[in-house]
């Protein structure tokens, strides 16, 4: 996942003809539950899989 994920929202009108503009989008549709995972032990260039995440929930 890149660092650009989740930092902005394109309104539906950006890609759907007659779609809602950003002012018409209910902000409650843009929120949800999240999980904080402690990944400080992983070096920046490392790759990891699902097994690396087990037990890492902060």
């Amino acid at each position: 996942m890149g660092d650009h994920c989740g930092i902005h929202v394109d309104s539906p009108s950006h890609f759907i003809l007659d779609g809602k503009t950003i002012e018409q989008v209910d902000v409650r549709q843009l929120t949800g539950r999240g999980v904080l995972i402690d990944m400080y032990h992983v070096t920046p260039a490392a790759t990891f899989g699902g097994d690396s995440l087990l037990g890492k929930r902060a």
Side-chain angles (χ1 to χ4, degrees), residues 8-45:
H8 78 277
V9 175
D10 286 331
S11 67
S13 65
H14 184 79
F15 48 88
I16 299 173
L17 185 62
D18 296 325
K20 289 183 178 180
T21 62
I22 199 64
E23 303 86 27
Q24 297 169 318
V25 175
D26 185 348
V27 71
R28 292 174 291 190
Q29 294 178 316
L30 307 176
T31 61
R33 297 183 66 170
V35 175
L36 175 63
I37 300 173
D38 180 0
M39 297 298 289
Y40 281 102
H41 66 284
V42 178
T43 59

